[in-house]
Amino acid sequence: MNFKSIVSGLFALLCMSASALAQIQAGRAIQITISGVPAEEKARFDSVYPVSESGTINMPYIGTVRAAGMKASQLATSLQSRYKAAEIYSHPTIQVIDSSAATIVEQVVHVGGQVRRTGPVKYDQKLTLYQAIQAAGGATEFCSMKRVKLFRNGRQKQYDLTKSQFMHIPLVPNDTIEVPQKNAWGG
């Protein structure tokens, strides 16, 4: 073997390693941002998402999506297509930044609508629907606690948080909570 073939072999090996590193890995985190949507949707969507050990992420409105093994650009394209196909967003531009160098430190739930601070709220195993709203600064005077929506795995449920039995609904990482505005009848 001559020096040139050794260097060529090492270069090829380095290229293969770099492409493997460029793939999203299970147990890590990725940052996802969106543009081309209303500001309140952007606040609900933009976050760091943990990639589960099974290689999936939990996205607002569409639920579980396979991420591990994909490149960031492939996942972004896939998400854009899924949101368009589900007719949730008509012209989303999604950016995925793979932060595979860092392990997941924090899991969150997303709180939007008529709360004082929209955005991610730190998740812990005992976090309830009502506690997440309080952690987001509490509801504004314009909110309706009678029609709070919880989005999980592409499904939506509505709860009346003026009734104590619904205040203790347990949350899971990446749940999205929407606190709506009061309607004309105050509800």
Side-chain angles (χ1 to χ4, degrees), residues 47-159:
S47 188
V48 174
Y49 293 84
V51 181
S52 72
E53 291 302 322
S54 62
T56 61
I57 56 176
N58 190 11
M59 296 300 299
Y61 307 123
I62 61 172
T64 304
V65 175
R66 182 96 186 125
M70 299 177 84
K71 293 182 180 176
S73 60
Q74 291 172 318
L75 179 58
T77 301
S78 172
L79 290 173
Q80 286 173 184
S81 296
R82 287 189 64 175
Y83 279 103
K84 285 179 190 176
E87 297 181 0
I88 296 168
Y89 301 125
S90 56
H91 301 292
T93 301
I94 296 174
Q95 181 179 19
V96 177
I97 300 169
D98 181 9
S99 55
S100 289
T103 58
I104 301 167
V105 176
E106 183 174 75
Q107 294 180 320
V108 296
V109 297
H110 309 277
V111 183
Q114 296 298 314
V115 292
R116 302 206 186 282
R117 286 187 315 272
T118 62
V121 168
K122 186 176 178 182
Y123 170 81
D124 72 48
Q125 290 183 341
K126 297 178 184 174
L127 187 65
T128 66
L129 185 56
Y130 183 77
Q131 290 169 339
I133 292 169
Q134 294 308 307
T140 69
E141 57 275 10
F142 304 108
C143 88
S144 171
M145 293 294 278
K146 294 180 179 183
R147 298 179 287 116
V148 174
K149 295 177 185 169
L150 174 62
F151 298 90
R152 179 181 295 159
N153 295 328
R155 295 188 183 112
Q156 170 187 324
K157 288 189 178 182
Q158 187 168 296
Y159 297 98

